[in-house]
């Protein structure tokens, strides 16, 4: 029993100490001239879907939940946000070249249709991000229309 108590004691000490490791949660400013929804004058219904299901990980408008301030969960969340922004950042859309935009739109269409985005772990914590079939179709069609016009 003494060994178990010692393990718990040191575990709690480590958990307390890792809270002091900083995680940068500062969002970069959003330039409206580079923002996807502004560039395409995206319809309100599509914008609402993107904001509720995509923007936390794929924009510079991330809203961090309370649990994102507790290590080691905060590290995982920040990693996911960084990775999401690396693959697609709606806030910086205007600075990407045409080939990259085309690639991001094509991958987004597949991810939405294949139910791989939003990620299941994100949906578990944000149930309103669980898109209906109709919402998925609307977003996929919107992206496909942009691809068809080649106005990316």
């Amino acid at each position: 029993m003494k060994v178990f108590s010692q393990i718990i004691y040191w575990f709690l000490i480590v958990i307390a100490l890792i809270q002091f490791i900083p995680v940068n949660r500062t969002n970069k400013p959003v330039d409206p001239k580079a923002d996807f929804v502004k560039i395409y004058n995206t319809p309100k219904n599509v914008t609402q879907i993107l904001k509720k299901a995509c923007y936390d990980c794929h924009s510079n408008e991330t809203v961090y939940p309370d649990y994102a301030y507790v290590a080691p969960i905060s590290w995982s969340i920040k990693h996911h946000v960084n990775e999401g922004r690396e693959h697609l950042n709606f806030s910086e859309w205007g600075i990407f070249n045409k080939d990259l935009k085309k690639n991001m739109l094509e991958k987004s269409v597949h991810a939405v249709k294949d139910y791989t985005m939003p990620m299941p772990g994100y949906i578990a914590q944000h149930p309103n991000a669980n898109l209906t079939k109709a919402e998925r179709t609307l977003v996929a069609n919107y992206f496909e229309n942009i691809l068809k016009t080649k106005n990316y």
Side-chain angles (χ1 to χ4, degrees):
M1 191 61 135
K2 186 176 180 182
V3 173
F4 181 71
S5 297
Q6 290 256 324
I7 291 170
I8 296 297
Y9 172 77
W10 286 108
F11 175 76
L12 293 174
I13 294 294
V14 169
I15 292 296
L17 288 175
I18 65 174
Q19 301 312 308
F20 295 103
I21 299 172
V23 173
N24 183 0
R25 290 176 212 82
T26 307
N27 289 323
K28 290 189 217 174
V30 177
D31 179 2
K33 295 175 191 160
D35 188 45
F36 178 89
V37 297
K38 301 288 187 214
I39 289 172
Y40 294 110
N41 197 22
T42 304
K44 190 174 181 175
N45 57 344
V46 176
T47 299
Q48 289 173 335
I49 294 168
L50 294 175
K51 297 264 183 182
K52 79 174 183 175
C54 309
Y55 264 55
D56 269 349
C57 295
H58 296 285
S59 79
N60 295 338
E61 299 179 41
T62 304
V63 177
Y64 291 97
D66 291 340
Y67 57 84
Y69 293 85
V70 179
I73 297 167
S74 59
W75 306 339
S76 176
I77 291 171
K78 185 59 181 169
H79 172 74
H80 282 284
V81 169
N82 287 344
E83 197 171 275
R85 288 176 181 170
E86 186 178 304
H87 290 281
L88 168 65
N89 189 332
F90 288 112
S91 298
E92 297 178 0
W93 186 261
I95 66 170
F96 302 136
N97 67 46
K98 279 186 92 116
D99 290 334
L100 187 56
K101 289 177 184 177
K102 179 183 178 190
N103 184 270
M104 286 188 284
L105 284 168
E106 288 171 344
K107 286 184 177 184
S108 296
V109 168
H110 292 296
V112 170
K113 284 183 173 180
D114 296 346
Y115 287 74
T116 54
M117 283 290 157
M119 293 177 71
Y122 183 78
I123 292 171
Q125 296 298 319
H126 303 85
N128 65 329
N130 192 8
L131 301 180
T132 65
K133 187 170 174 66
E135 289 173 323
R136 287 180 182 280
T137 301
L138 180 65
V139 170
N141 288 344
Y142 184 70
F143 291 158
E144 286 173 333
N145 286 337
I146 294 171
L147 284 164
K148 284 178 190 169
T149 64
K150 297 187 181 198
N151 184 24
Y152 38 81

